[in-house]
């Protein structure tokens, strides 16, 4: 089955600086890679996703890059703000019957220092 | 649309008791999932379903059962509750992997076994 590793487990950055979170996956058949943000006591919320036919996707201050050859993908948050403080999870999923499960990384606790 | 609705939101169980966590979605999604999230940890897949009448095990199925008699409902049954099942449970749903990958989560059910 799929295995997703996520680093770092905690990350503190000064407000206004950039934050980068990295994930690797094991199953080359995975073709969908979402990122979720989870605030304390809340459900995970999708913030951005990327499919394997795309190398990069950007949405305002958030971007995701994907390197299929190396089987890793990263979340980039620029101009960080206090409301970006949360736990971020990466995930990977296939589209073939039998590997539709979404496998999550272990999470990164991001703290923005005012 | 209400999205994914879980009940109850909070529950305390005694060791050995049984209960059912209810999950319903009104988005006509054919894929549904149950995850558990232990404090400070990531999400682990318990069971999932690719359509009515079809269920399959995830990473941590022991101690749980599911059924999927309709497209809308995917209840999770805990038999003989144990302290190790103290966790937050999230139900989620999505369209089929080929037609859309976004996975939507319910608000979570906080379960404590004492």
């Amino acid at each position: 089955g799929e295995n997703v590793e996520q680093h770092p487990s905690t990350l503190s950055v000064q407000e206004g600086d950039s934050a980068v979170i990295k994930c690797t996956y094991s199953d080359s058949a995975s073709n969908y890679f979402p990122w979720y943000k989870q605030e304390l006591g809340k459900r995970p919320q999708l913030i951005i996703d990327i499919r394997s036919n795309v190398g990069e996707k950007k949405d305002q201050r958030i971007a995701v890059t994907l390197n299929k050859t190396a089987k890793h993908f990263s979340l980039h948050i620029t101009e960080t703000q206090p409301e970006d403080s949360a736990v971020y999870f990466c995930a990977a999923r296939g589209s073939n019957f039998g590997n539709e499960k979404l496998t999550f990384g272990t999470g990164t606790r991001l703290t923005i220092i005012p | 649309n209400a999205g994914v609705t879980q009940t109850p939101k909070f529950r305390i169980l005694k060791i050995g008791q049984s209960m059912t966590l209810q999950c319903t979605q009104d988005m006509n999604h054919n894929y549904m999932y149950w995850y558990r999230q232990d404090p400070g940890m990531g999400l682990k897949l318990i069971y999932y379903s690719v359509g009515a009448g079809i269920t399959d095990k995830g990473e941590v199925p022991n101690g749980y059962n599911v059924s999927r008699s309709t497209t809308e409902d995917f209840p999770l049954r805990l038999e003989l509750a144990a302290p190790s099942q103290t966790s937050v449970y999230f139900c989620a749903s999505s369209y089929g992997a080929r037609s859309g990958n976004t996975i939507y989560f319910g608000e979570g059910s906080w379960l404590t076994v004492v």
Side-chain angles (χ1 to χ4, degrees):
Chain A
E2 176 66 275
N3 182 49
V4 178
E5 295 190 357
Q6 182 172 348
H7 301 280
S9 56
T10 60
L11 179 62
S12 295
V13 300
Q14 290 291 138
E15 182 178 353
D17 287 350
S18 295
V20 181
I21 303 170
K22 299 180 179 181
C23 288
T24 60
Y25 61 99
S26 61
D27 189 348
S28 56
S30 290
N31 61 1
Y32 174 66
F33 308 94
W35 286 88
Y36 286 84
K37 176 183 180 182
Q38 187 178 31
E39 296 175 342
L40 189 63
K42 300 289 182 67
R43 74 183 100 184
Q45 298 269 23
L46 179 72
I47 56 171
I48 196 167
D49 57 13
I50 191 167
R51 288 166 172 74
S52 60
N53 58 346
V54 175
E56 183 175 359
K57 183 176 177 181
K58 190 172 181 180
D59 183 4
Q60 298 182 353
R61 297 186 297 108
I62 295 173
V64 58
T65 58
L66 171 65
N67 183 327
K68 279 202 69 178
T69 303
K71 291 192 281 188
H72 69 69
F73 56 112
S74 300
L75 177 71
H76 305 254
I77 306 174
T78 58
E79 300 172 17
T80 53
Q81 300 169 4
E83 54 264 36
D84 294 329
S85 293
V87 179
Y88 291 81
F89 292 97
C90 63
R93 178 184 182 182
S95 61
N96 297 321
F97 186 78
N99 74 338
E100 313 91 339
K101 297 171 284 190
L102 190 67
T103 301
F104 284 85
T106 49
T108 297
R109 182 173 300 278
L110 175 64
T111 302
I112 306 303
I113 304 166
Chain B
N1 285 357
V4 180
T5 303
Q6 294 179 233
T7 57
K9 193 168 178 69
F10 301 97
R11 181 74 186 267
I12 298 175
L13 272 183
K14 293 185 178 178
I15 295 172
Q17 286 186 321
S18 300
M19 74 161 296
T20 300
L21 296 175
Q22 302 290 346
C23 177
T24 188
Q25 51 90 12
D26 61 359
M27 297 175 282
N28 202 31
H29 287 167
N30 47 350
Y31 283 48
M32 295 188 74
Y33 310 82
W34 274 106
Y35 288 90
R36 62 174 285 174
Q37 186 176 33
D38 297 335
M41 305 294 284
L43 294 112
K44 293 191 180 296
L45 183 65
I46 306 172
Y47 271 96
Y48 72 107
S49 169
V50 301
I54 306 170
T55 63
D56 206 350
K57 295 178 181 178
E59 300 172 74
V60 290
N62 291 345
Y64 307 94
N65 277 301
V66 293
S67 59
R68 185 91 182 273
S69 57
T70 67
T71 300
E72 295 78 19
D73 300 307
F74 191 41
L76 178 71
R77 178 88 178 153
L78 280 74
E79 303 282 3
L80 299 175
S84 60
Q85 293 179 302
T86 294
S87 192
V88 182
Y89 292 82
F90 288 100
C91 181
S93 72
S94 74
Y95 287 111
R98 291 184 184 276
S99 54
N101 281 313
T102 303
I103 291 178
Y104 299 87
F105 284 85
E107 292 188 320
S109 296
W110 274 253
L111 176 67
T112 301
V113 181
V114 296

